[in-house]
Amino acid sequence: FLGGGVMSKLQIALSPDGQGDQMLADVDINGLSWTANVKYGSVAGASMYGMNYYQAITPRLSMGGEGLYIGVNNSLAASYLFKYSIPAEGDEVPTKKAGPPGMPAPEAPSSTIIASFNPNQGVTLNYKRVVTPQRVTLGAELSANPMTLESQVILGAEFNWSRSKLGVTVDGNGKMQSVFEGKLGKEPGQPKLTLCADLDHMKDEMRFGYGLSIDG
Protein backbone atom coordinates (compact mmCIF):
# COMPACT_ATOMS: atom_id res chain seq x y z
CA PHE A 1 0.00 0.00 0.00
CA LEU A 2 1.01 3.67 -0.42
CA GLY A 3 3.76 2.91 -2.91
CA GLY A 4 5.31 0.14 -0.82
CA GLY A 5 5.43 2.22 2.36
CA VAL A 6 2.87 -0.01 4.06
CA MET A 7 2.80 -3.79 3.76
CA SER A 8 0.46 -6.23 5.50
CA LYS A 9 0.45 -9.99 6.01
CA LEU A 10 -2.20 -12.37 7.34
CA GLN A 11 -1.60 -15.96 8.48
CA ILE A 12 -4.33 -18.38 9.53
CA ALA A 13 -3.89 -21.94 10.81
CA LEU A 14 -6.89 -24.20 11.50
CA SER A 15 -6.93 -27.38 13.57
CA PRO A 16 -9.45 -30.26 13.24
CA ASP A 17 -10.96 -29.72 16.69
CA GLY A 18 -10.72 -25.95 16.58
CA GLN A 19 -8.76 -25.78 19.84
CA GLY A 20 -5.45 -25.02 18.13
CA ASP A 21 -6.64 -22.39 15.66
CA GLN A 22 -4.19 -19.53 15.18
CA MET A 23 -4.29 -16.18 13.43
CA LEU A 24 -1.57 -13.57 13.02
CA ALA A 25 -1.84 -10.20 11.26
CA ASP A 26 1.21 -8.01 10.58
CA VAL A 27 1.42 -4.44 9.29
CA ASP A 28 4.83 -2.97 8.37
CA ILE A 29 5.17 0.81 7.94
CA ASN A 30 8.31 2.29 6.37
CA GLY A 31 9.10 5.99 6.63
CA LEU A 32 12.03 8.00 5.33
CA SER A 33 14.08 7.51 8.49
CA TRP A 34 12.00 5.08 10.55
CA THR A 35 10.21 1.74 10.44
CA ALA A 36 7.36 0.39 12.54
CA ASN A 37 5.48 -2.87 12.87
CA VAL A 38 2.12 -3.61 14.45
CA LYS A 39 0.86 -7.14 14.95
CA TYR A 40 -2.22 -8.84 16.34
CA GLY A 41 -2.70 -12.54 16.89
CA SER A 42 -5.02 -15.07 18.43
CA VAL A 43 -3.46 -18.17 19.99
CA ALA A 44 -5.28 -20.78 22.11
CA GLY A 45 -8.30 -18.50 22.36
CA ALA A 46 -6.31 -15.58 23.76
CA SER A 47 -5.14 -12.39 22.07
CA MET A 48 -1.61 -11.25 21.41
CA TYR A 49 -0.53 -7.66 20.67
CA GLY A 50 2.87 -6.46 19.54
CA MET A 51 4.52 -3.29 18.28
CA ASN A 52 8.06 -2.15 17.47
CA TYR A 53 9.51 1.16 16.31
CA TYR A 54 13.01 1.90 14.93
CA GLN A 55 14.21 5.45 14.29
CA ALA A 56 17.41 6.77 12.66
CA ILE A 57 18.53 9.80 14.68
CA THR A 58 21.64 10.56 12.59
CA PRO A 59 23.35 8.65 9.75
CA ARG A 60 25.36 6.85 12.43
CA LEU A 61 22.96 6.66 15.38
CA SER A 62 19.64 4.84 15.54
CA MET A 63 17.46 3.47 18.32
CA GLY A 64 14.16 1.74 18.87
CA GLY A 65 12.00 -0.43 21.06
CA GLU A 66 9.61 -3.36 21.01
CA GLY A 67 6.69 -4.44 23.18
CA LEU A 68 4.70 -7.69 23.20
CA TYR A 69 1.64 -8.74 25.22
CA ILE A 70 0.60 -12.41 25.33
CA GLY A 71 -2.85 -13.01 26.72
CA VAL A 72 -2.44 -16.76 27.35
CA ASN A 73 -0.26 -16.18 30.41
CA ASN A 74 -0.98 -12.45 30.77
CA SER A 75 2.69 -11.57 30.23
CA LEU A 76 4.21 -8.35 28.94
CA ALA A 77 7.69 -8.19 27.39
CA ALA A 78 9.68 -5.17 26.25
CA SER A 79 13.14 -4.52 24.84
CA TYR A 80 15.10 -1.46 23.75
CA LEU A 81 17.90 -1.10 21.20
CA PHE A 82 20.68 1.42 20.61
CA LYS A 83 22.92 1.19 17.51
CA TYR A 84 25.93 3.30 16.58
CA SER A 85 28.07 2.85 13.45
CA ILE A 86 31.67 4.02 13.19
CA PRO A 87 32.79 4.34 9.55
CA ALA A 88 36.24 3.45 8.30
CA GLU A 89 38.87 6.15 8.65
CA GLY A 90 38.33 8.79 5.97
CA ASP A 91 34.61 8.08 5.47
CA GLU A 92 32.08 10.47 6.99
CA VAL A 93 29.21 7.98 6.62
CA PRO A 94 29.43 4.19 6.17
CA THR A 95 28.69 3.45 2.53
CA LYS A 96 28.54 0.39 0.33
CA LYS A 97 30.11 0.28 -3.07
CA ALA A 98 28.20 -1.39 -5.88
CA GLY A 99 29.07 -5.05 -6.36
CA PRO A 100 29.13 -7.18 -9.51
CA PRO A 101 25.83 -7.60 -11.39
CA GLY A 102 23.58 -10.04 -9.56
CA MET A 103 25.77 -10.00 -6.43
CA PRO A 104 25.12 -8.14 -3.15
CA ALA A 105 27.14 -4.99 -2.53
CA PRO A 106 30.19 -5.65 -0.33
CA GLU A 107 30.07 -4.35 3.24
CA ALA A 108 32.30 -1.34 3.77
CA PRO A 109 34.98 -1.51 6.49
CA SER A 110 33.35 -0.17 9.63
CA SER A 111 32.57 -0.82 13.29
CA THR A 112 29.11 -1.25 14.80
CA ILE A 113 28.14 -1.05 18.46
CA ILE A 114 24.72 -2.34 19.53
CA ALA A 115 23.35 -2.08 23.07
CA SER A 116 20.08 -3.76 23.99
CA PHE A 117 18.13 -3.88 27.25
CA ASN A 118 15.48 -6.36 28.29
CA PRO A 119 13.98 -6.05 31.80
CA ASN A 120 13.95 -9.85 32.14
CA GLN A 121 17.33 -10.64 30.56
CA GLY A 122 19.44 -7.60 31.38
CA VAL A 123 21.87 -5.68 29.19
CA THR A 124 23.68 -6.98 26.11
CA LEU A 125 26.51 -5.18 24.31
CA ASN A 126 27.61 -6.26 20.82
CA TYR A 127 30.61 -5.04 18.85
CA LYS A 128 31.26 -5.91 15.19
CA ARG A 129 34.32 -4.88 13.20
CA VAL A 130 34.53 -5.43 9.44
CA VAL A 131 38.30 -5.58 8.97
CA THR A 132 38.31 -6.63 5.31
CA PRO A 133 34.99 -6.53 3.42
CA GLN A 134 33.67 -10.04 2.70
CA ARG A 135 36.90 -11.50 4.10
CA VAL A 136 37.57 -10.87 7.80
CA THR A 137 35.01 -9.88 10.46
CA LEU A 138 35.59 -9.70 14.23
CA GLY A 139 32.96 -9.53 16.95
CA ALA A 140 32.39 -9.51 20.70
CA GLU A 141 29.38 -9.83 22.98
CA LEU A 142 28.99 -8.99 26.66
CA SER A 143 25.77 -9.77 28.51
CA ALA A 144 24.93 -9.03 32.13
CA ASN A 145 21.80 -9.55 34.22
CA PRO A 146 21.61 -7.20 37.24
CA MET A 147 18.88 -9.34 38.82
CA THR A 148 20.88 -12.60 38.90
CA LEU A 149 24.38 -11.01 38.80
CA GLU A 150 25.26 -13.37 35.94
CA SER A 151 27.44 -12.25 33.04
CA GLN A 152 28.99 -13.76 29.94
CA VAL A 153 31.49 -12.64 27.33
CA ILE A 154 32.03 -14.13 23.85
CA LEU A 155 34.70 -13.27 21.29
CA GLY A 156 34.43 -14.39 17.68
CA ALA A 157 35.94 -14.11 14.22
CA GLU A 158 34.81 -15.11 10.73
CA PHE A 159 37.11 -15.64 7.75
CA ASN A 160 35.71 -15.95 4.22
CA TRP A 161 37.48 -17.28 1.15
CA SER A 162 36.25 -17.85 -2.39
CA ARG A 163 34.60 -21.23 -1.68
CA SER A 164 34.90 -21.67 2.07
CA LYS A 165 34.58 -19.90 5.41
CA LEU A 166 35.71 -20.44 8.99
CA GLY A 167 34.03 -19.22 12.17
CA VAL A 168 35.66 -19.32 15.62
CA THR A 169 34.25 -18.28 19.02
CA VAL A 170 35.66 -18.29 22.57
CA ASP A 171 33.59 -17.52 25.68
CA GLY A 172 34.54 -16.40 29.17
CA ASN A 173 34.62 -19.99 30.47
CA GLY A 174 37.29 -21.00 27.98
CA LYS A 175 34.95 -22.90 25.69
CA MET A 176 36.07 -22.78 22.05
CA GLN A 177 33.86 -23.53 19.06
CA SER A 178 34.78 -23.59 15.39
CA VAL A 179 32.88 -24.33 12.19
CA PHE A 180 34.41 -24.75 8.75
CA GLU A 181 32.27 -24.83 5.58
CA GLY A 182 33.70 -25.58 2.17
CA LYS A 183 32.18 -26.06 -1.27
CA LEU A 184 33.49 -29.12 -3.12
CA GLY A 185 33.33 -27.58 -6.59
CA LYS A 186 32.92 -24.35 -8.50
CA GLU A 187 29.53 -24.96 -10.12
CA PRO A 188 26.26 -23.97 -8.37
CA GLY A 189 24.65 -26.79 -6.41
CA GLN A 190 27.93 -28.57 -5.65
CA PRO A 191 28.19 -30.56 -2.37
CA LYS A 192 29.18 -28.64 0.75
CA LEU A 193 31.33 -30.10 3.51
CA THR A 194 30.99 -28.89 7.12
CA LEU A 195 33.46 -29.60 9.92
CA CYS A 196 32.83 -28.50 13.51
CA ALA A 197 34.70 -28.84 16.81
CA ASP A 198 34.00 -27.89 20.43
CA LEU A 199 36.62 -27.71 23.18
CA ASP A 200 35.49 -27.07 26.76
CA HIS A 201 38.47 -26.57 29.08
CA MET A 202 36.35 -26.30 32.25
CA LYS A 203 34.60 -29.64 31.68
CA ASP A 204 37.57 -31.26 29.92
CA GLU A 205 35.35 -32.23 26.98
CA MET A 206 36.02 -32.34 23.25
CA ARG A 207 33.51 -32.93 20.48
CA PHE A 208 33.97 -33.17 16.74
CA GLY A 209 31.53 -33.57 13.87
CA TYR A 210 31.14 -33.31 10.15
CA GLY A 211 28.34 -32.97 7.64
CA LEU A 212 27.82 -33.21 3.91
CA SER A 213 24.96 -31.46 2.11
CA ILE A 214 23.98 -31.90 -1.53
CA ASP A 215 21.52 -29.57 -3.20
CA GLY A 216 19.05 -31.34 -5.44
Side-chain angles (χ1 to χ4, degrees), residues 16-168:
D17 57 0
Q19 298 296 322
D21 294 350
Q22 298 182 6
M23 187 273 290
L24 178 63
D26 271 282
V27 178
D28 293 317
I29 307 173
N30 298 305
L32 295 177
S33 62
W34 58 273
T35 61
N37 172 269
V38 180
K39 63 181 62 178
Y40 168 80
S42 177
V43 180
S47 297
M48 178 188 70
Y49 304 92
M51 180 178 181
N52 63 64
Y53 180 81
Y54 191 71
Q55 173 72 57
I57 308 300
T58 70
R60 300 185 187 182
L61 173 64
S62 55
M63 56 199 316
E66 178 180 17
L68 181 66
Y69 171 78
I70 302 177
V72 175
N73 51 11
N74 197 30
S75 64
L76 179 64
S79 61
Y80 309 92
L81 179 71
F82 170 94
K83 179 180 179 181
Y84 185 76
S85 298
I86 306 173
E89 186 176 356
D91 292 338
E92 291 298 328
V93 179
T95 59
K96 290 185 178 182
K97 298 180 181 179
M103 297 295 291
E107 189 172 7
S110 63
S111 298
T112 303
I113 300 174
I114 299 177
S116 59
F117 172 72
N118 186 307
N120 298 322
Q121 300 178 0
V123 180
T124 301
L125 297 176
N126 296 90
Y127 175 78
K128 175 184 176 182
R129 170 63 179 174
V130 179
V131 180
T132 305
Q134 296 185 326
R135 290 293 184 184
V136 181
T137 303
L138 306 178
E141 179 180 287
L142 172 64
S143 58
N145 192 331
M147 302 298 296
T148 61
L149 299 180
E150 295 179 348
S151 62
Q152 184 181 31
V153 61
I154 301 176
L155 304 177
E158 183 178 83
F159 306 92
N160 289 273
W161 296 279
S162 57
R163 295 192 302 274
S164 61
K165 69 177 179 178
L166 172 66
V168 181

